[in-house]
Each structure stands twice: as C-alpha cells, then as structure tokens.
Amino acid sequence: TGAPLRQFLYAGDLARILVEVVDRDLTDSFNVAAPGNLSIREVAVIAAEACGFDGLEIVFDNVSPDGQFRKDVSIERFKRLMPDFEFTPIELGIRRVFDSYLAA
C-alpha cells in the first residue's frame, strides 16, 4: 500500500560519518539514520519527481501484506556525538544516485 514508514539514509552521508568516526577515533556504538520517517509512497513520489518522472502513476501490490508499519532506531547517541551533522535531503540523494546510474 505504500503506507509503512521508514527512515532513509543517503550512502554518501554514511561515508562522511564513517570518516568522522575514524578521524575522531570514536569507539562508542550508535545508530545512524536521518531524523524522521517517510512512507514508502512518499519516497516513491519524491524519487519520481527527483528523476524527472513527475506525474508517474505509482501502483502498489495491495495483495501482499505491508509488514511492520514502523522500524525506527534511536539516533539520540549519534546526535550527541555529531550534533552539527547535516543530512543530505532525500531528493538530492536520490537524484545523485540516479545521475550516477545514467553516467555508468
């Protein structure tokens, strides 16, 4: 149905975080996720728009179950360790990935 909510993360952000962890010699464990949740439907619409497919009809398989509605992780420890980290907006991250596939 596209209703389940998920946290999304641009891989480039994870790479930047890993560099910071190594540079600062951080040994604490913490979860990494962008704040907030988006529905699968919202991400599909954002992806279509980011890739130039505005108005694309998005159809979900309503026969199969959605699965767990939310799968949140706490990012409180991460925010304490890297309070100024700015995540890439999902639209930009999707566009970067799309462009890299076009260039391949």
Side-chain angles (χ1 to χ4, degrees):
T1 64
L5 302 174
R6 298 291 182 266
Q7 293 168 295
F8 289 86
L9 177 68
Y10 174 59
D13 290 344
L14 179 58
R16 290 182 15 229
I17 291 165
L18 291 173
V19 168
E20 179 96 7
V21 165
V22 171
D23 287 349
R24 292 174 47 190
D25 196 28
L26 294 175
T27 57
D28 293 346
S29 63
F30 56 90
N31 295 317
V32 176
N37 286 286
L38 294 171
S39 73
I40 302 301
R41 178 178 300 284
E42 288 173 309
V43 172
V45 169
I46 290 168
E49 290 173 359
C51 299
F53 299 110
D54 298 12
L56 185 71
E57 181 183 6
I58 299 170
V59 179
F60 293 92
D61 176 3
N62 294 326
V63 175
S64 301
D66 277 334
Q68 185 173 341
F69 184 69
R70 290 181 77 126
K71 294 185 178 185
D72 297 77
V73 298
S74 172
I75 59 170
E76 293 307 313
R77 193 175 295 171
F78 168 73
K79 290 194 301 189
R80 282 194 305 273
L81 291 168
M82 297 183 197
D84 298 325
F85 188 86
E86 292 189 28
F87 287 92
T88 302
I90 189 168
E91 299 86 353
L92 179 57
I94 289 172
R95 185 66 209 189
R96 285 178 179 167
V97 171
F98 182 71
D99 287 346
S100 72
Y101 279 103
L102 290 179

